[in-house]
Amino acid sequence: MLKRICCFVFVFVILITSFSINTFAATEEKNLPICKINLDTTNINGSEKTELKICDNDDKISAVISEGGYTTWQFTVSESGYYSLALEYFTIKGNGMDYEVALTIDDDFPCDGAERVTFPRVWEMQTADNGRFETDNRGNELMPSQKEIETTVKRNFADYSGMDDSPFSVFLEEGVHNIKITSLREDIAVKSVEIFNNPPLESYAKTLAKWEALYGKPKGDNIKTFEAEIIKQASSSAILPGYDRTSPATSPNSAKYIKLNTIGGENWKNSGEYIIWDFSIPEDGYYIFTFKYRQDLIRGLSVTRKLTIDDSIPFCEFKSLKFPYTNDFKQITITDNEGKPAYVYLKAGKHTLKLEATLGEMSKTLKPVEEIILKLNNMYRRIIMVTGVNPDTYRDYYFSKEIPMLFDVFKECSDGLKLYADNLEKMYGKGNETSLFYELAAQLDSFCKDDRTISARLDRFKSNISALAELVFNLKNQPLELDYFTVHQKDATIEKTNSTFLQRLLFRIKYFIYSFTSDYSQLGNVYDGEVLNVWVSVSDMGTTGAAAGREQAQLIKRMIDDYFTPQKNISVNLSLANTSEALMQSVISGNGPDVAMYLPKVSVMNLGVRGALASVTEMSNYNEVKERFLPASLIGFTSRDEVFALPDTLTYNMMFYRTDIFSEEGLTPPKTWDEFNNVMSILSKKNMQTGIPESQQIFEMFLLQNGSNIYNEKNTEVTLNTPKALEAFRQWTDLYVQYSLPVSFDFFNRFRTGEMPIGIVSLTMYNQLCIGAPELNGLWEMAPIPGGSQTCTTTGSVVIKGSGKEKSAFEFLDWWSSTETQKRYGNQLEVLLGTSSRYNTANIEAFSMLAWTKEELSVLRSQQEYLSDFSITPASYYVSRNITNAFRRVVYYYENSSEVMNRYSEDMNKELARKNKEFNLN
Amino acid sequence: MQNNFIKNIIKRKNVYLLLSPWLIIFIVFTILPIISAVFLSFTSYNILQPPKFNGFENYLRLFLDDDVFIIALKNTAIFAVITGPIGYIMSFIIAWMINDMSPRARSILTLLFYSPSLAGNVYFIWMFIFSGDSYGLINSNLLKLGIIKEPIYWLTDPKYNFWVCIVVLIWMSMGAGFLALVAGFKQLNYALFEAAAIDGIRNRWQELWYVTLPQMVPQLLISAVLSISGAFAVGYQCASLTGFPSTDYSTHTLVLHIQDYGYNRFEMGYASAIAVVLFVIMIVVWNVINKAINSMGD
């Protein structure tokens, strides 16, 4: 018996060790049979919801697979081995989202990531007649708009969302196989599928020798320069030109006007993202490439690009070209291994140049390191489940008993970290980056040696993990900004373009002087005479999920000039205003705008009750317009029978939770408060927390769910001292008193580490999590809040009374709030700035047309059904500050909640009566 | 009398002409606002609609029916009494000590002590130090040492936030008054020190009191005025640290009270009445200080 157990344990240990060796061992040589199997529409042997038709003008038939449909092919492989796959597709128009397909071979997903492969659409930048960009009537170049074009694209099956953008490597036995492509999003027109292995690329030395034998030695002095901002095509519509005005060295350049003169940077950093340029050369010969670039975003690291000319990589060295860190624009000539310029033989005429961001060798290191981070985060969570976040340093927690696998995982992770640090050093040389790996590894080793030190060093452990996550995030980014590139021959001399100190000084002085003459708060075309003046309140946009900034306002202005002005013949000047306070002051002095956008509801009502705003009910088609919004979003703008604004954005709380931790703990997302309380106590037993911020919205939610209100029907008294409201107040304060939730915390960070796996926070957290926590992709979800009902936060557009331009102002509001405009704005914004700028429009129809997934949309929809709101009175500011005071009385000093609320209610009533008297509202 | 005044102006018109740029700016931007504030304090005025005269109603309400005003007055007084003199005395002592150092060390230290008020909003770092989060700098260390079990809400708990404000205000109090004192020490007449030594000064305290201070009355005065007006104008620093308004008005000051009524409630008439009261208080306090300093060394 004992022998048997020993044997079993032995096998088990072997299994475990072999497994861990496997994960970290370098990949052994794979058999990659060189071949090319092309499956076009004539080979199809089965399909559903697929239509064969000619989409293109080259007479080739495409199989248009509708969303949810599939097509299958059969093919034969003559040799067992690993193969790559590529898809040739035609970008037919649809809803504007990227195509997503699932790849199955012999009824099984052949590798990780095959469940969902993304194939992008193609965007083309719209340029003006002179080949550059359109300008506004003041001479500034405008950000070009993007147009979707229909063209044929061939792209490998690969996981572009992750780090490893190399094509999937699928093992296929010799024989007949079945391949099936299912469309998951949008209708995709498939032209062909290819199963291939390309012959390995030859080295530069070999290729050059071959060329020299054919064409002789490099010579000639041709030179041609191409502006990088004028591109042919880019993989993503977010790759847009930018402008650099820090020095006179960028080309083109002007101290007075905005000239778009660079491309890339922050928006060209993910692996797989590429830019294609056209270039032409006058005669056959050997050419050298020189780029003027800047990489100042990631300190001390170089970024990698893959260079392709006319759809093929000339030699294997061009698969990963390094662009080192530089904080100013610098020229770099592509060289061979010995530092001599690398020649490429090209025929005279037109060519294309493609640079693609790639992680190259590094992806093989980063992916497992990311897994290590996940594992260590998991261990951290397990440790705090035992100790709490503030462990007792003098206590022995017996970790080896409490968390048996802890030391195995630590050992494994420590070995892994050391191995990958070595790998990185081979690529980058010794440096700051790898020291963090070693530090963490050393910490893990010492934890294994003496587990009693864990509790004292937990903080450091946690900060090391997040520093490592940050580092991996940075290493993954490959931002590169280009000014121009030069194609030249051996004897041509490239002019030095770096500016001297004096030139730079002169430029900055000129720039400073011009800054007095142009008004930067004005955007785009500026008109004289009869115009509608519109202000955008930037800071308020930022806090309400519309994201702050010039880009947004610029886009609004562009849409106005392109659609509204031609349609209604009303010119509009758009300016940026900082706050709603500035608006108040300008209205007083009579210099105010005619329309103001994105005002928070409190500001709207402040202006409204004092008679500064025109009621939107005066709009001729108001009854039709109001149907665009949820009735709840209008309540906050309504005073008696007047409505002072049309809503722009609408945000509300959602429940965010970590799916991985929930399934680990066997929890289901709570739907009722009973269930929620249950989850809270389970989590708190495991030393994890629940995040509910100290905000009035939470109280309002409890009020609504208890069937109470803040004010009575005529807004003459507060009803917070009624039994129902007192019950709501008790429920709210009990969260902090009974369940001792933290009052002050950073939800985003604690959600990331898993300390706080559930929270009720604003919908804008979605944007933050999408962009700021890529490692959590797929590990969290949002759900409607328990009980459903809650109030909402809105911003709105208002029309200022007494300008004499109310009629055109109403027409503007009508146009702006229409589904068409809001949908276009939301989509364009995301095209321009990425998912992080998801726009929470108040127009419900337009909201559902944004790029939400079906599941997300149905969750948000079901939450929207429950939205409601309370009206705002002139004394609202006073009510909300007293609610906060009452809350803190109870939570800080454990006073009796009903008593406290009764006391503060009296104060509120007094102020309400006074304000009602002031405005004759009784 | 009036004739004389006009005659005087005509007679010395060149002098008045040279004075006029400053005089015009002074009248437009200082005298007129004060007069209009006094006028508005007798009206009900909501900014958007024209003011309505309502007699002493604002003042009656202010003194008889506004609890928060009393809290604000009390807080302002405590702030002024604690941070004003402490800041003032600290400025003086540090300036005195710096004065004995080498010129190089003196200029570096002057910059160092002056930097908190030079750098404007740097007091925001105190928000991280006193954060109510359990990971806040002070909270996390106190938790680790086992002194507290729950995080303390330094900035929102009325028990603590007032003292946090005082710490930050003292830290910021080395302002322009401090520079005036540093300069004052440099212009002392050293012949007088020798004379005093011969006359029998026994220690540095006597020297300070009988020789140094009487020579520095102008600098002391300007520094006192700056620190008093600074102490009475405390407000925005508290508001940005503890929120506006703070919990139960625990760090509410007169300036914040004015802001509350002016910008949140749009009751400009009432806000003006508070401003007038603050103005009167400052004049009275300044007169007292002026007398005290002038009697120094007597």
Side-chain angles (χ1 to χ4, degrees):
Chain A
M1 183 65 192
L2 193 70
K3 210 172 162 189
R4 235 208 210 151
I5 290 174
C6 279
C7 195
F8 183 73
V9 168
F10 181 66
V11 169
F12 189 69
V13 168
I14 295 260
L15 268 176
I16 284 186
T17 40
S18 64
F19 173 72
S20 58
I21 287 166
N22 236 341
T23 33
F24 294 125
T27 40
E28 73 275 23
E29 281 300 305
K30 285 177 182 175
N31 182 25
L32 303 167
I34 290 158
C35 74
K36 190 172 262 186
I37 307 170
N38 196 295
L39 306 167
D40 65 7
T41 45
T42 53
N43 308 76
I44 292 177
N45 74 341
S47 68
E48 200 186 295
K49 285 167 86 178
T50 302
E51 193 187 344
L52 292 182
K53 63 178 178 188
I54 299 172
C55 307
D56 206 349
N57 45 15
D58 67 355
D59 284 354
K60 213 172 154 190
I61 299 169
S62 313
V64 182
I65 312 174
S66 307
E67 195 170 307
Y70 66 84
T71 303
T72 56
W73 288 265
Q74 209 169 48
F75 63 99
T76 320
V77 176
S78 52
E79 191 185 341
S80 298
Y82 287 89
Y83 292 87
S84 300
L85 292 108
L87 185 76
E88 192 186 11
Y89 62 105
F90 183 72
T91 55
I92 49 167
K93 283 191 179 148
N95 293 329
M97 284 181 265
D98 284 344
Y99 308 104
E100 276 180 3
V101 302
L103 168 74
T104 34
I105 292 177
D106 302 331
D107 296 325
D108 200 9
F109 296 122
C111 56
D112 282 348
E115 322 73 79
R116 195 173 277 269
V117 189
T118 313
F119 290 93
R121 292 172 179 277
V122 179
W123 300 85
E124 207 175 60
M125 221 177 260
Q126 297 299 99
T127 48
D129 299 333
N130 62 359
R132 286 195 61 82
F133 306 101
E134 284 179 34
T135 55
D136 62 25
N137 62 6
R138 292 180 297 167
N140 295 316
E141 284 185 343
L142 293 169
M143 202 55 87
S145 52
Q146 300 272 338
K147 201 174 137 211
E148 193 188 332
I149 53 166
E150 296 195 316
T151 178
T152 305
V153 181
K154 190 169 165 189
R155 196 167 158 99
N156 293 334
F157 279 88
D159 184 6
Y160 295 98
S161 63
M163 284 184 291
D164 192 3
D165 57 324
S166 54
F168 290 151
S169 200
V170 178
F171 182 77
L172 295 172
E173 295 271 1
E174 187 187 332
V176 180
H177 296 277
N178 236 318
I179 181 167
K180 177 167 145 191
I181 288 178
T182 315
S183 171
L184 300 175
R185 192 164 78 181
E186 299 269 18
D187 301 351
I188 184 166
V190 176
K191 281 185 146 174
S192 69
V193 181
E194 199 172 277
I195 296 117
F196 68 97
N197 267 320
N198 285 330
L201 286 170
E202 291 203 349
S203 71
Y204 172 65
K206 269 191 185 163
T207 319
L208 187 68
K210 217 187 280 167
W211 276 336
E212 280 182 351
L214 279 171
Y215 311 112
K217 290 264 178 207
K219 61 175 190 297
D221 61 354
N222 285 310
I223 176 163
K224 250 184 141 177
T225 298
F226 303 89
E227 290 296 340
E229 66 272 15
I230 308 210
I231 68 172
K232 181 180 185 227
Q233 229 178 64
S235 62
S236 144
S237 52
I239 299 179
L240 284 169
Y243 56 91
D244 178 85
R245 301 176 83 180
T246 51
S247 86
T250 40
S251 145
N253 191 284
S254 158
K256 189 172 181 184
Y257 303 113
I258 293 174
K259 292 264 180 214
L260 300 173
N261 51 15
T262 68
I263 194 153
E266 194 55 54
N267 52 25
W268 186 29
K269 63 178 180 192
N270 298 323
S271 63
E273 288 182 339
Y274 62 81
I275 301 179
I276 301 177
W277 293 271
D278 272 328
F279 72 98
S280 58
I281 40 175
E283 58 181 319
D284 299 3
Y286 291 93
Y287 287 89
I288 308 165
F289 294 89
T290 297
F291 295 90
K292 187 166 174 205
Y293 81 105
R294 178 166 69 178
Q295 194 289 97
D296 59 343
L297 292 167
I298 296 181
R299 280 208 81 77
L301 295 180
S302 48
V303 299
T304 318
R305 287 291 181 275
K306 184 156 77 184
L307 196 157
T308 315
I309 295 166
D310 299 333
D311 294 329
S312 69
I313 304 172
F315 6 84
C316 64
E317 281 86 349
F318 276 18
K319 266 162 88 178
S320 61
L321 297 171
K322 294 235 183 314
F323 294 81
Y325 173 81
T326 155
N327 53 15
D328 207 356
F329 277 99
K330 206 170 104 180
Q331 282 180 330
I332 188 171
T333 299
I334 307 299
T335 57
D336 63 6
N337 294 337
E338 288 153 24
K340 282 188 238 149
Y343 298 105
V344 181
Y345 188 83
L346 294 171
K347 295 258 180 236
K350 274 193 151 185
H351 297 273
T352 60
L353 171 76
K354 175 173 160 190
L355 280 184
E356 184 175 347
T358 172
L359 284 170
E361 283 297 296
M362 200 150 57
S363 62
K364 291 197 182 72
T365 299
L366 293 185
K367 214 169 181 176
V369 172
E370 217 165 46
E371 273 163 30
I372 290 179
I373 293 169
L374 267 181
K375 273 184 199 158
L376 289 177
N377 257 329
N378 191 333
M379 286 306 120
Y380 171 73
R381 217 162 52 230
R382 276 168 203 277
I383 292 172
I384 60 167
M385 280 183 198
V386 177
T387 66
V389 282
N390 287 302
D392 185 344
T393 331
Y394 303 106
R395 188 172 141 191
D396 189 345
Y397 287 98
Y398 294 101
F399 288 112
S400 46
K401 231 185 241 164
E402 295 282 344
I403 317 166
M405 85 279 243
L406 185 68
F407 299 110
D408 293 336
V409 175
F410 277 179
K411 184 85 198 30
E412 182 191 320
C413 290
S414 158
D415 291 347
L417 284 171
K418 283 176 208 156
L419 177 74
Y420 294 120
D422 277 350
N423 283 357
L424 274 181
E425 270 178 9
K426 270 177 215 148
M427 274 179 262
Y428 282 105
K430 268 198 171 25
N432 286 333
E433 300 82 50
T434 48
S435 66
L436 187 64
F437 282 69
Y438 289 120
E439 191 185 334
L440 190 52
Q443 193 176 36
L444 293 175
D445 288 345
S446 75
F447 281 168
C448 291
K449 244 181 246 151
D450 185 0
D451 67 347
R452 279 170 306 179
T453 63
I454 292 180
S455 50
R457 294 158 69 193
L458 199 58
D459 260 2
R460 188 81 197 137
F461 178 48
K462 180 185 158 195
S463 61
N464 273 342
I465 300 175
S466 49
L468 187 65
E470 182 84 32
L471 176 68
V472 170
F473 186 73
N474 276 340
L475 286 170
K476 261 161 72 176
N477 281 343
Q478 302 279 320
L480 178 71
E481 198 176 357
L482 288 178
D483 182 13
Y484 58 75
F485 62 91
T486 309
V487 186
H488 54 103
Q489 285 185 314
K490 188 172 177 257
D491 301 325
T493 42
I494 315 171
E495 45 178 318
K496 283 264 173 284
T497 52
N498 289 343
S499 51
T500 61
F501 174 75
L502 211 67
Q503 281 172 321
R504 243 175 296 166
L505 188 72
L506 211 71
F507 179 80
R508 297 301 292 183
I509 292 172
K510 262 204 285 190
Y511 181 38
F512 179 66
I513 293 169
Y514 280 125
S515 74
F516 288 102
T517 60
S518 43
D519 182 357
Y520 290 100
S521 69
Q522 293 270 10
L523 294 162
N525 290 334
V526 176
Y527 303 102
D528 291 328
E530 190 67 12
V531 286
L532 198 64
N533 285 306
V534 179
W535 282 17
V536 180
S537 176
V538 187
S539 61
D540 296 317
M541 280 169 97
T543 52
T544 48
R550 224 183 159 77
E551 281 87 357
Q552 281 88 341
Q554 225 148 22
L555 180 59
I556 296 174
K557 175 63 178 163
R558 206 184 169 101
M559 284 176 54
I560 293 172
D561 285 349
D562 286 356
Y563 300 99
F564 178 67
T565 305
Q567 220 174 55
K568 304 278 178 178
N569 203 15
I570 300 168
S571 312
V572 177
N573 282 348
L574 190 77
S575 343
L576 293 172
N578 269 333
T579 55
S580 39
E581 225 165 75
L583 179 70
M584 186 65 111
Q585 281 153 10
S586 64
V587 170
I588 298 157
S589 64
N591 293 323
D594 306 311
V595 173
M597 300 163 81
Y598 296 106
L599 283 188
K601 58 185 172 188
V602 176
S603 306
V604 170
M605 294 312 278
N606 269 335
L607 287 164
V609 293
R610 288 172 179 80
L613 302 180
S615 169
V616 290
T617 47
E618 290 165 29
M619 286 172 83
S620 51
N621 57 345
Y622 176 69
N623 282 331
E624 177 202 320
V625 169
K626 78 172 181 202
E627 293 304 317
R628 297 169 187 167
F629 312 106
L630 288 175
S633 56
L634 285 163
I635 297 173
F637 300 133
T638 310
S639 168
R640 291 195 290 191
D641 50 356
E642 289 181 303
V643 182
F644 292 118
L646 289 182
D648 288 326
T649 60
L650 171 72
T651 48
Y652 34 87
N653 288 332
M654 292 296 288
M655 187 174 78
F656 290 81
Y657 63 96
R658 287 277 298 267
T659 45
D660 54 338
I661 299 175
F662 266 58
S663 66
E664 231 171 71
E665 301 298 324
L667 296 170
T668 48
K671 289 197 177 62
T672 64
W673 279 103
D674 283 341
E675 286 174 24
F676 192 85
N677 293 347
N678 194 22
V679 167
M680 271 199 292
S681 9
I682 291 173
L683 288 177
S684 110
K685 267 177 215 148
K686 307 252 168 169
N687 288 316
M688 286 187 276
Q689 296 166 328
T690 306
I692 301 181
E694 172 199 5
S695 96
Q696 201 183 322
Q697 262 196 305
I698 302 292
F699 179 43
E700 288 174 357
M701 167 188 81
F702 281 120
L703 280 176
L704 275 174
Q705 296 188 2
N706 275 301
S708 182
N709 199 323
I710 297 183
Y711 307 102
N712 64 6
E713 258 167 51
K714 285 182 162 172
N715 289 345
T716 51
E717 264 185 4
V718 293
T719 52
L720 295 176
N721 47 3
T722 58
K724 278 178 183 169
L726 289 177
E727 173 60 19
F729 187 60
R730 194 190 57 77
Q731 279 181 326
W732 184 35
T733 48
D734 267 2
L735 289 176
Y736 305 94
V737 176
Q738 299 286 337
Y739 293 95
S740 43
L741 298 190
V743 176
S744 170
F745 56 87
D746 178 353
F747 179 75
F748 176 69
N749 277 328
R750 295 195 191 178
F751 192 67
R752 262 179 105 167
T753 59
E755 279 174 70
M756 198 173 258
I758 183 170
I760 294 179
V761 290
S762 168
L763 174 59
T764 49
M765 185 56 68
Y766 174 91
N767 297 6
Q768 207 184 340
L769 284 170
C770 275
I771 193 79
E775 81 276 11
L776 286 189
N777 239 338
L779 296 182
W780 57 272
E781 265 173 24
M782 50 183 179
I785 59 165
S789 302
Q790 60 170 317
T791 58
C792 48
T793 310
T794 45
T795 60
S797 292
V798 299
V799 173
I800 311 288
K801 206 190 233 170
S803 63
K805 287 180 239 166
E806 282 94 339
K807 197 168 162 282
S808 37
F810 282 140
E811 278 189 55
F812 175 74
L813 250 55
D814 180 23
W815 170 79
W816 171 246
S817 63
S818 66
T819 306
E820 179 66 26
T821 311
Q822 288 292 309
K823 178 192 135 196
R824 187 176 289 135
Y825 177 66
N827 280 330
Q828 289 267 335
L829 202 59
E830 210 159 323
V831 161
L832 222 91
L833 302 168
T835 321
S836 63
S837 62
R838 181 68 53 79
Y839 179 58
N840 300 316
T841 172
N843 183 315
I844 27 175
E845 206 185 336
F847 182 84
S848 61
M849 292 173 178
L850 301 182
W852 304 102
T853 64
K854 270 189 185 141
E855 300 86 50
E856 283 166 352
L857 193 62
S858 82
V859 166
L860 290 166
R861 271 277 168 85
S862 62
Q863 176 61 74
Q864 282 178 352
E865 276 172 30
Y866 287 104
L867 290 183
S868 181
D869 208 352
F870 296 130
S871 51
I872 293 204
T873 66
S876 279
Y877 69 92
Y878 198 78
V879 171
S880 54
R881 73 169 64 157
N882 277 307
I883 289 174
T884 309
N885 286 343
F887 171 83
R888 290 181 179 163
R889 277 270 142 213
V890 177
V891 173
Y892 295 177
Y893 304 127
Y894 306 111
E895 286 181 25
N896 180 299
S897 66
S898 314
E899 230 170 72
V900 169
M901 195 33 113
N902 274 321
R903 198 165 68 223
Y904 281 103
S905 293
E906 276 171 36
D907 270 6
M908 296 185 220
N909 278 333
K910 218 165 110 187
E911 179 78 8
L912 189 61
R914 231 171 48 74
K915 280 286 166 189
N916 280 341
K917 202 178 129 205
E918 186 186 333
F919 293 105
N920 298 321
L921 286 173
N922 281 337
Chain B
M1 177 69 198
Q2 203 167 19
N3 252 341
N4 268 348
F5 180 64
I6 291 168
K7 257 185 210 160
N8 195 6
I9 288 181
I10 292 166
K11 198 171 132 198
R12 301 180 181 186
K13 55 178 183 291
N14 291 340
V15 178
Y16 279 94
L17 190 72
L18 288 173
L19 202 59
S20 61
W22 180 83
L23 210 59
I24 289 166
I25 287 171
F26 181 69
I27 289 171
V28 171
F29 290 105
T30 309
I31 305 285
L32 280 183
I34 292 174
I35 293 172
S36 66
V38 173
F39 165 73
L40 285 176
S41 71
F42 294 103
T43 63
S44 154
Y45 177 40
N46 77 355
I47 306 190
L48 292 176
Q49 287 148 344
K52 282 187 293 246
F53 187 73
N54 68 353
F56 279 95
E57 202 179 292
N58 288 336
Y59 288 98
L60 288 176
R61 190 177 140 210
L62 187 60
F63 287 109
L64 302 176
D65 195 25
D66 188 349
D67 300 338
V68 181
F69 172 70
I70 305 298
I71 297 175
L73 193 63
K74 185 195 83 187
N75 287 342
T76 309
I78 299 178
F79 276 137
V81 166
I82 297 180
T83 63
I86 288 185
Y88 184 53
I89 292 166
M90 250 171 54
S91 300
F92 181 80
I93 292 175
I94 289 171
W96 188 34
M97 285 182 350
I98 283 177
N99 187 47
D100 285 344
M101 294 180 181
S102 70
R104 190 150 185 190
R106 186 160 58 201
S107 52
I108 290 172
L109 283 172
T110 309
L111 182 69
L112 215 64
F113 282 108
Y114 184 54
S115 56
S117 35
L118 191 72
N121 289 346
V122 285
Y123 58 86
F124 272 104
I125 60 157
W126 294 92
M127 286 181 81
F128 297 103
I129 296 175
F130 285 109
S131 165
D133 192 318
S134 53
Y135 290 121
L137 196 65
I138 291 190
N139 275 339
S140 65
N141 282 306
L142 289 181
L143 282 167
K144 211 180 275 167
L145 292 171
I147 295 172
I148 52 172
K149 282 223 169 71
E150 294 284 319
I152 292 177
Y153 307 109
W154 296 102
L155 298 174
T156 49
D157 190 334
K159 260 197 284 190
Y160 304 102
N161 59 6
F162 190 76
W163 300 103
V164 170
C165 283
I166 284 187
V167 169
V168 176
L169 287 172
I170 290 177
W171 175 73
M172 287 180 73
S173 61
M174 306 268 151
F178 168 68
L179 289 190
L181 290 174
V182 171
F185 273 107
K186 278 175 133 177
Q187 51 91 54
L188 295 175
N189 182 352
Y190 281 87
L192 292 180
F193 286 94
E194 274 175 40
I198 292 162
D199 283 351
I201 288 274
R202 263 172 304 177
N203 54 35
R204 285 211 76 174
W205 291 110
Q206 282 189 345
E207 186 189 277
L208 180 71
W209 187 253
Y210 292 112
V211 187
T212 312
L213 287 183
Q215 286 190 70
M216 281 184 59
V217 168
Q219 285 83 19
L220 289 173
L221 206 62
I222 185 75
S223 175
V225 170
L226 287 171
S227 88
I228 292 295
S229 58
F232 276 102
V234 162
Y236 76 98
Q237 305 94 329
C238 300
S240 27
L241 282 173
T242 62
F244 179 58
S246 44
T247 316
D248 283 334
Y249 305 102
S250 49
T251 66
H252 210 59
T253 65
L254 286 179
V255 172
L256 290 179
H257 206 44
I258 294 172
Q259 196 183 332
D260 192 11
Y261 274 92
Y263 290 113
N264 280 0
R265 313 184 196 205
F266 303 100
E267 295 179 26
M268 273 298 170
Y270 192 71
S272 301
I274 308 169
V276 169
V277 171
L278 181 61
F279 182 62
V280 171
I281 294 174
M282 279 169 91
I283 287 180
V284 171
V285 172
W286 186 78
N287 268 314
V288 172
I289 305 263
N290 196 6
K291 288 221 172 84
I293 288 178
N294 274 324
S295 64
M296 206 174 287
D298 289 350

